[in-house]
Amino acid sequence: MTSLNDPQLSGLGRNPAAPQDVLVRLATHKAGRHGISLRRRRLEDAVVEALLTHGDDDTAVHLHGDRISPEMRQRIGEHPDPAIRDAYRDFVRDMVDREVPIGIDGLEEAYGWPRAALVSAPSPSLRAAAARAWYDRPLAVQVGLLADPDPQVRAAATERQQPGVPPEWRERCLADPAVRVNVARYVPLTSEQFAQLMRSEEEEVHQAVAGNPHLSAEMVARLLDIKDPLVRVPVAQSRHVNAETRDRLYALVEAERVDGSIEAEVALSWTFAEPHWLREAPLNERMTYLDCQYKVFRRVLASCRDLPEEAWRRLDNDPELMVRHAAARRPDTPPEVLEGLVRAHGDVFHIRPLLVDHPNFPRHVLRTFVDEPSPNVRYLALQDPELPVPDLQQLAAAAESFLRRGVARHPNITDALLEHLLSDPDAQVVDDAAANSALQPTQMYRMLTVAGL
């Protein structure tokens, strides 16, 4: 069970202003070691020594690369305990065996080989991991992976559209069960290759072909009779179908969704299919989709940057929020449009940059969000680094813990407010308060004393 001080110690371990002696004392506590493991800057040698003294192999997993000095890397490499010595290497190898993605730099460090050697390693799992991680590999390396004797390696090499499949390799790849679905999604197909894929009885093959952006009108026409919703929706988004056909396909899938079809629900709401071709279409053709009843077309249209003012006016008032958000990301969005959108609906935090970071956003209005009824909008007031203390105090008293966490991370926080949040009932608020670089050293030492460190 976690003790009352654990969130404080974990946060203090993350605190970028924590002095070396504080970190050394924290290294004697499990929660402190956890916090230190989350620090982004290089760890001083004395801190690493303390972690090695008081930690275990779980601690040592985080001691690698540029996070520690060359001297400490050598120290760990010569450690008498193999669990410590090989902690990071064993962790990466376990991830490779589990097919969990690991960056190419991490693979090189753990195995001690350059990436060019990793793709020729004896282990198929390692070759596959290197294929997934080395995104910008040369075409010659890609050809070697396409010819690999192990199917998992060939599959990993074709998961992404780049670096691609050379034309002379397409026939072989489309005939390979290990990579057929991957490759059918993106390579240009000849009529014979298309026909060969359509003779397959695998639904996944047909779904992959339906999303291929290079299909001809004749190919799309041959897909119209396939009843799979995950085929019908991408076909409905094709440039080669007319409005009547598009309406019919969408209506069929919608009827299936109403009847409870999970496949139809996924096809309409949970796939990433988009009519990407619309972005490259002539302006006059794109403008015909301004009133399209299918929001995905209007969203793609809103991601263009050369539309006339009337089009932007209508997209800024689109009934779908996702369309309005896409339109608001253009370079010349008026300040009042940005403010109105954010004030009414908040921001989308998984898409960067935020709308409040748009060059045209009126940053001076951020602090006025403190009194908005929606907690998601009030949270945006914290994007003002100079938010006045009374406003911070008001947000720190909110029922929503994510607002209190935002205050705990704020650079303008006072000592008194930090002290208050260090006793918050929510452990994450406490953790964030302890990690705030505004925390005074005297408070840090007091926390260590209370914890008996």
Side-chain angles (χ1 to χ4, degrees), residues 58-72:
D58 288 337
T59 305
V61 163
H62 302 280
L63 303 177
H64 64 90
D66 293 335
R67 300 196 73 237
I68 60 178
S69 70
E71 292 75 19
M72 286 297 104

Side-chain angles (χ1 to χ4, degrees), residues 12-30:
L12 188 54
R14 292 194 293 121
N15 194 313
Q20 174 182 297
D21 62 326
V22 167
L23 297 179
V24 168
R25 290 167 67 180
L26 281 170
T28 64
H29 193 284
K30 183 177 181 180

Side-chain angles (χ1 to χ4, degrees), residues 57-313:
D57 53 326
D58 288 337
T59 305
V61 163
H62 302 280
L63 303 177
H64 64 90
D66 293 335
R67 300 196 73 237
I68 60 178
S69 70
E71 292 75 19
M72 286 297 104
R73 286 200 295 273
Q74 182 176 351
R75 163 93 165 79
I76 292 172
E78 298 170 352
H79 199 281
D81 185 347
I84 300 295
R85 188 171 63 241
D86 300 329
Y88 181 66
R89 183 182 304 120
D90 290 344
F91 167 77
V92 171
R93 292 183 176 185
D94 183 51
M95 295 300 101
V96 167
D97 291 340
R98 295 169 182 262
E99 298 185 12
V100 177
I102 291 287
I104 191 65
D105 292 337
L107 292 173
E108 287 182 322
E109 179 179 356
Y111 286 88
W113 297 340
R115 57 198 66 186
L118 291 172
V119 293
S120 302
S123 164
S125 296
L126 179 54
R127 299 199 301 274
R132 293 189 189 96
W134 189 4
Y135 303 137
D136 57 348
R137 57 186 177 270
L139 192 57
V141 172
Q142 173 71 343
V143 167
L145 292 168
L146 295 177
D148 195 279
D150 193 282
Q152 69 171 313
V153 178
R154 302 197 300 276
T158 54
E159 286 177 356
R160 295 173 176 267
Q161 188 167 347
Q162 298 299 330
V165 178
E168 63 273 18
W169 278 83
R170 289 173 187 165
E171 189 74 38
R172 175 172 170 174
C173 287
L174 290 169
D176 182 353
V179 303
R180 181 184 296 126
V181 171
N182 289 345
V183 174
R185 289 191 178 101
Y186 54 78
V187 300
L189 301 172
T190 65
S191 298
E192 179 52 39
Q193 288 168 344
F194 174 82
Q196 178 184 348
L197 292 170
M198 295 312 296
R199 286 193 289 269
S200 170
E201 296 182 359
E202 297 179 54
E203 289 183 350
E204 197 175 5
V205 171
H206 297 162
Q207 294 164 4
V209 171
N212 190 306
H214 304 291
L215 300 183
S216 65
E218 293 76 17
M219 294 174 184
V220 171
R222 290 187 58 183
L223 292 167
L224 292 175
D225 294 329
I226 296 180
K227 297 179 180 180
D228 185 346
L230 291 167
V231 171
R232 279 176 167 163
V233 168
V235 170
Q237 294 177 5
S238 170
R239 71 177 76 202
H240 298 303
V241 300
N242 57 33
E244 180 182 356
T245 302
R246 180 172 292 123
D247 290 346
R248 177 177 66 83
L249 292 171
Y250 268 114
L252 289 168
V253 179
E254 179 59 38
E256 289 189 61
R257 175 162 67 174
V258 171
D259 287 341
S261 167
I262 296 177
E263 291 79 6
E265 178 67 33
V266 170
L268 290 171
S269 304
W270 297 99
T271 64
F272 296 102
E274 281 191 344
H276 299 291
W277 57 269
L278 187 58
R279 294 187 181 92
E280 282 77 47
L283 180 60
N284 60 346
E285 181 181 355
R286 278 182 279 150
M287 291 296 289
T288 65
Y289 289 89
L290 195 56
D291 294 315
C292 181
Q293 64 176 303
Y294 310 111
K295 59 187 177 184
V296 65
F297 285 86
R298 304 197 308 276
R299 185 180 69 208
V300 171
L301 181 62
S303 70
C304 299
R305 296 293 176 258
D306 60 344
L307 304 181
E309 188 58 37
E310 172 60 17
W312 291 125
R313 186 187 67 77

Side-chain angles (χ1 to χ4, degrees), residues 296-432:
V296 65
F297 285 86
R298 304 197 308 276
R299 185 180 69 208
V300 171
L301 181 62
S303 70
C304 299
R305 296 293 176 258
D306 60 344
L307 304 181
E309 188 58 37
E310 172 60 17
W312 291 125
R313 186 187 67 77
R314 290 164 65 180
L315 291 168
D316 285 336
N317 292 280
D318 193 276
E320 287 290 338
L321 181 59
M322 67 168 62
V323 175
R324 301 201 298 279
H325 270 291
R329 295 188 179 280
R330 65 190 186 272
D332 57 349
T333 310
E336 63 273 15
V337 170
L338 290 163
E339 180 186 350
L341 183 59
V342 171
R343 191 178 290 277
H345 302 285
D347 218 326
V348 184
F349 279 85
H350 66 277
I351 300 178
R352 298 300 171 120
L354 299 175
L355 290 179
V356 296
D357 292 328
H358 191 290
N360 292 350
F361 188 88
R363 300 278 299 182
H364 65 278
V365 307
L366 283 172
R367 59 189 60 182
T368 68
F369 290 172
V370 169
D371 297 315
E372 289 292 330
S374 167
N376 293 322
V377 178
R378 294 204 301 276
Y379 182 80
L380 289 168
L382 294 164
Q383 296 295 310
D384 181 352
E386 298 178 353
L387 191 66
V389 171
D391 292 336
L392 289 171
Q393 291 171 330
Q394 178 179 331
L395 294 173
E400 297 84 2
S401 63
F402 74 90
L403 285 174
R404 304 198 304 276
R405 287 190 71 188
V407 176
R409 294 190 294 264
H410 201 273
N412 207 33
I413 195 167
T414 63
D415 293 346
L417 197 47
L418 262 181
E419 179 72 27
H420 170 70
L421 293 173
L422 283 169
S423 301
D424 194 273
D426 188 288
Q428 291 181 311
V429 176
V430 175
D431 191 298
D432 282 335

